């Protein structure tokens, strides 16, 4: 640490980090890290200085955005020490180009701040997720974030035009183009998208923007089975001309839990095994209300839905979304439990849900199973909560692991993924390594060694 | 070659290749290669056998699809010899999954064959380009193909869910998932997309499908300036709720040339400096005709267009597209000339076009300049044809190089790319290397060495 004082600008550093601060404790409150110190660079030059300092002093580097990830990608305990690099001070929106439908933004910009800035220009940046008030663009890039609009607009990978990255040895790769098409050599930005801080530090990005929707239709629909929900999805894509922007499944048990939150009510008069939150949006004079109204009638006539309600105001739409958000928020008082983030082909979603629910009912009958997720992307978040009477500790841990094994076995069999959008971090590393083929692992290692030969960037994340 | 007879199945090989065949001569008729022999494997095992044979015998490997590329990516003369690997026999469509909106297809499948197969299921694979009747999926992957629907559906990169790749040493990476979301480790398929055969041989792909549009509206619009065309584009994106599927600019000189082709007429009664081919498409009961009609009125009232016609039948729409295609087809009788494939930010398109036209009028006043392209993606194909009286040879070559330098200088200044969709191959290698930063080149080399340490995959393509 002596050398640090000599070389680094102290105004960049926090040496005595509050162990309760967001640098140390993650969003879930479950993970904590032990960095030697926290660095908060203000510009690319300071990031370069930091990275070079770490190289000289044999320190690992762990980049951190809003620290809202769920897989301990930015919470590390690393032998030999590490510097936690928070990008939060690099948070400027550098330029919005309305004619090019693009924006250049620094890594530390909070997602919701970006939303508001581009909305002021009648534009939209579509990536949206629960953590939008805290998560940062750099973290969204590093984790290839997903969320509720992937169906229509894709994941972060699909929204990035260019990146600026500080490499492990302090070189800067400036790939901040704003082109829709650029076939000149390998697409380097793809390497860093989803690399979880293991290949370099993303310091800025250029992103695609879209016309801000002038009309949004939000519906809450009751369906009998997961299979009906998938049939409804295929019909909705076609009927609504791909103007569908969200298609979320929520099981009855999940809605019940959400309704324990204050001020939430089921907008439907009936209870059903599953609910679908369907949203469509458009700009311009298109009559979306009529289109969506026609679709609801069609779906009722075809027997795809049991009942449905269309929000007639923004306030009503927010109340429908509050149920979806309530499913997550209501989980916090349940102690340690299992969260999953799996995906299967959309055509396998229904059978996967049915199998998981039956298998869990057999394996951990005393728990509570919540089934919900972005099923328009094939992405489910099965949540399994042990009985409240079960104490924290090894028994609870084993119970959770057993539930996870049940779910993962079914997902594997259905050609799925054990991490659809959350990434691998440290939490899912062994589950990932177990499933990856030898060739896949060799390719991953070859790339990592080629970019970070000394293994100093976020060591222990994704794979060893 | 002795060893080849011992190891390789002769029914896979063509030893005496007709020098006029499509294996040797490319689509433009300009490039030819000199492979030691041509191999046409029928399955992945045969590709593995081939690649291992080449490794053992120190032969380079050049994969080839439909050989319709324009940058000599699959036409090589390589010291020490090479095997040209044509994937044309691996052309099966393995499975279409309508509920998952996906298809698994082998590399040698011709793009138009895939179009027809998925249309039979009321689905669409949106990638479309002039060479669709000959180009193959593997080539589309390897070159990250673009074309006329990129605006709405993205380039090949955006349409691929998974790949199967034979690596330079014969290992097979099976990444044929059909998931919309899969955040497990680096996204390896991105490496091979656009790698132009330098990192491995793509043998199969899983691709995204879309509902087949039930309604397509095609318009031909007259505009005063390139700037008005860009203003029209931004208005169209918003007004048509992103249902825009093509937005092509064609200059008056380009239309004039196209109209020298048989049976083509300008559907407008007036001549104008520029024309826009605008297409919107939708599925379901949406009233696209009314939406588009309203937009035309709006654009006329706002003075964005001078005149416009909406095709009232499929036949009329085809006649409008025939003008766009005629621009390319009518070029063939003009000897050697300059084709470009540049892109700039959409907000720079108009100024770039104006600058290029003025600069070329000064530099090569005796030539014919055609301006056209996918300007909704910022992608222009400036074509510059020397006077017909200029003989083939060094003078003509120098004339072409001078025109290219004029265009590239402007594109560089506007933050653009010298290859928007055609790739680098061998034709644009030195122009690319001149423009790439040292860090970019180091990263490219690090990746190539990590995957192909012996530099046996398509050596000489993209960069040295």
């Amino acid at each position: 640490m002596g050398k640090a004082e000599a070389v680094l600008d102290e105004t960049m550093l926090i040496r005595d980090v509050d162990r309760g601060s967001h640098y140390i404790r993650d969003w879930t409150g479950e993970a904590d890290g032990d960095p030697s110190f926290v660095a908060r660079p203000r510009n690319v030059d300071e990031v370069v200085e930091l990275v070079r300092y770490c190289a000289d002093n044999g320190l690992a580097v762990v980049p951190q955005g809003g620290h809202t990830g769920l897989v301990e990608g930015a919470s590390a305990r690393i032998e030999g020490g590490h510097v936690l690099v928070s990008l939060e001070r690099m948070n400027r929106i550098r330029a919005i180009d309305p004619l090019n439908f693009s924006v250049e933004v620094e890594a530390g910009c909070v997602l919701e701040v970006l939303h508001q800035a581009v909305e002021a220009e009648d534009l939209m940046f579509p990536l949206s997720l629960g953590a939008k008030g805290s998560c940062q663009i750099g973290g969204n890039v590093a984790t290839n974030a997903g969320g509720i609009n992937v169906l229509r607009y894709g994941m972060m990978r699909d929204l990035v035009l260019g990146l600026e990255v500080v490499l492990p040895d302090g070189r800067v790769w400036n790939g901040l183009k704003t082109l829709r098409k650029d076939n000149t050599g390998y697409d380097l930005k793809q390497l860093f998208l989803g690399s979880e801080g293991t290949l370099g530090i993303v310091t800025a990005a250029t992103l695609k923007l879209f016309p801000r929707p002038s009309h949004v239709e939000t519906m809450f629909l009751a369906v009998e089975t997961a299979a009906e929900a998938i049939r409804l999805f295929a019909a909705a894509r076609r009927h609504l001309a791909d103007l569908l922007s969200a298609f979320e499944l929520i099981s009855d048990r999940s809605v019940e839990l959400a309704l324990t939150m204050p001020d939430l009510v089921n907008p439907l008069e009936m209870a059903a095994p599953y609910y679908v939150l369907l949203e469509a949006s458009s700009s311009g004079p298109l009559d979306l209300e009529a289109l969506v109204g026609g679709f609801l009638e069609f779906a009722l006539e075809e027997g795809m839905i049991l009942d449905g309600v269309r929000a007639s105001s923004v306030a009503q739409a927010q109340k429908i979304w509050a149920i979806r958000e309530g499913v997550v928020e209501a989980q916090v008082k349940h102690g340690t439990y299992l969260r999953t983030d799996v995906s299967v082909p959309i055509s396998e979603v229904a059978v996967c849900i049915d199998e998981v629910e039956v298998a869990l009912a057999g394996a951990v009958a005393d728990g509570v199973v919540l089934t919900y997720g972005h099923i328009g992307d094939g992405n489910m978040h099965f949540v399994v909560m042990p009985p409240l009477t079960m104490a924290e500790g090894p028994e609870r841990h084993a119970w959770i692991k057993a539930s996870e094994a049940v779910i993962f076995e079914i997902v594997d069999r259905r050609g799925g993924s054990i991490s659809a959008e959350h990434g691998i971090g440290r939490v899912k590393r062994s589950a990932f390594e177990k499933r990856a083929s030898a060739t896949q692992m060799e390719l991953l290692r070859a790339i990592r060694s080629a970019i970070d030969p000394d293994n100093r960037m976020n060591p222990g994340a994704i794979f060893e």
Side-chain angles (χ1 to χ4, degrees), chain A:
Chain A
M1 294 292 293
K3 232 175 164 183
E5 271 117 342
V7 178
L8 290 175
D9 178 347
E10 281 296 321
T11 65
M12 210 199 304
L13 310 180
I14 305 175
R15 294 201 174 271
D16 296 308
V17 198
D18 176 357
R19 302 236 15 111
S21 74
H22 72 276
Y23 305 113
I24 303 297
R25 290 184 68 76
D26 79 358
W27 211 49
T28 66
E30 280 169 30
D32 60 2
D34 67 346
S36 306
F37 57 90
V38 172
R40 301 189 303 152
R42 285 154 292 208
N43 52 54
V44 174
D45 291 345
E46 290 189 348
V47 177
V48 169
E49 191 185 320
L50 257 171
V51 164
R52 288 204 180 126
Y53 172 85
C54 291
D56 291 346
N57 290 269
L59 282 163
V61 177
V62 177
Q64 186 177 88
H67 208 186
T68 63
L70 296 169
V71 292
E72 298 179 24
S75 297
R77 299 178 165 274
I78 296 169
E79 218 173 306
H82 75 274
V83 177
L84 186 76
V85 181
S86 167
L87 280 295
E88 65 191 354
R89 280 176 168 175
M90 292 185 63
N91 60 3
R92 280 188 315 139
I93 295 170
R94 290 181 185 165
I96 297 173
D97 182 343
L99 268 186
N100 193 42
F101 292 91
S102 67
V103 60
E104 181 175 328
V105 60
E106 292 178 348
C109 180
V110 169
L111 178 57
E112 199 167 36
V113 171
L114 179 66
H115 284 170
Q116 288 158 1
V118 304
E119 275 169 21
E121 308 270 343
D122 212 14
L123 294 164
M124 170 182 62
F125 180 64
L127 188 85
S128 188
L129 48 152
K132 66 185 174 191
S134 307
C135 67
Q136 298 169 10
I137 296 302
N140 297 151
V141 169
T143 61
N144 183 30
I148 55 172
N149 287 327
V150 172
L151 187 55
R152 170 94 162 262
Y153 300 100
M155 296 185 69
M156 192 64 173
R157 184 181 303 281
D158 303 298
L159 300 170
V160 171
L161 294 170
L163 292 178
E164 177 185 75
V165 181
V166 176
L167 299 172
D169 59 4
R171 283 173 301 164
V172 178
W173 174 60
N174 183 339
L176 284 177
K177 295 223 166 181
T178 58
L179 304 172
R180 251 56 186 188
K181 284 170 142 182
D182 181 20
N183 262 353
T184 52
Y186 313 148
D187 190 1
L188 292 175
K189 65 176 179 291
Q190 303 294 343
L191 273 182
F192 303 101
L193 273 151
S195 65
E196 303 190 28
T198 63
L199 299 177
I201 300 180
V202 173
T203 49
T206 45
L207 307 173
K208 290 183 195 169
L209 299 176
F210 294 81
R212 186 185 180 190
S214 51
H215 199 134
V216 178
E217 289 285 344
T218 310
M219 280 142 282
F220 199 65
L221 312 172
V223 297
E224 186 70 43
T225 61
E228 281 302 308
I230 292 300
R231 204 157 74 92
L232 181 73
F233 170 69
R237 276 200 75 173
R238 198 170 290 274
H239 196 110
L240 302 178
D242 270 334
L243 296 170
L244 208 54
S245 46
F247 196 92
E248 301 281 314
L249 185 80
I250 319 177
S251 70
D252 55 353
R253 192 65 199 77
S254 308
V255 169
E256 270 169 43
L257 181 75
L259 296 182
T260 63
M261 301 288 288
D263 302 327
L264 294 191
V265 285
N266 184 345
L268 294 173
E269 279 166 23
M270 69 180 299
Y274 293 97
Y275 302 88
V276 168
L277 193 168
L278 186 158
E279 195 167 271
S281 58
S282 65
S283 58
L286 187 151
D287 191 350
L288 191 65
E289 189 177 325
L291 189 65
V292 154
F295 177 65
L296 278 190
E297 272 176 43
F298 166 79
L300 267 171
E301 273 166 28
E302 292 285 312
M304 290 178 186
I305 60 174
L306 303 170
D307 195 6
V309 60
R310 190 174 67 75
S312 58
S313 68
V314 173
Q316 271 192 20
Q318 282 169 345
K319 277 189 182 163
I320 291 176
W321 273 108
I323 296 174
R324 172 66 177 82
E325 287 150 14
V327 179
V328 179
E329 288 157 12
Q331 291 167 24
V332 292
K333 23 180 184 177
H334 285 258
T336 315
Y337 62 93
L338 175 70
R339 278 185 212 91
T340 65
D341 166 42
V342 300
S343 65
V344 293
I346 299 163
S347 47
E348 303 282 335
V349 162
V351 66
C352 174
I353 288 175
D354 291 346
E355 288 186 353
V356 165
E357 292 189 345
V358 168
L360 286 175
V364 287
D366 48 347
V368 173
V369 179
L370 308 178
T371 299
Y372 61 96
H374 321 293
I375 63 160
D377 313 313
N379 181 190
M380 278 90 62
H381 298 303
F382 295 109
V383 161
V384 196
M385 302 190 294
L388 283 169
T389 50
M390 190 182 283
E392 297 289 335
E395 188 201 358
R396 197 171 175 110
H397 183 74
W399 192 99
I400 286 171
K401 278 282 150 198
S403 306
E404 188 182 70
V406 165
I407 295 169
F408 283 6
E409 186 275 324
I410 292 165
V411 167
D412 287 342
R413 198 151 33 76
R414 296 288 166 190
S417 166
I418 59 152
S419 187
E421 59 179 11
H422 294 169
I424 300 299
R426 289 166 178 84
V427 169
K428 295 192 187 165
R429 197 177 62 202
S430 80
F432 166 56
E433 288 175 332
K434 226 177 282 175
R435 283 164 177 82
S437 70
T439 304
Q440 183 180 358
M441 290 308 302
E442 286 158 17
L443 285 169
L444 294 176
R445 285 199 194 95
I447 293 163
R448 194 160 176 171
S449 303
I451 312 282
D452 180 24
D454 301 329
N455 191 30
R456 280 190 317 94
M457 292 304 303
N458 210 4
I462 310 184
F463 59 92
E464 283 286 17

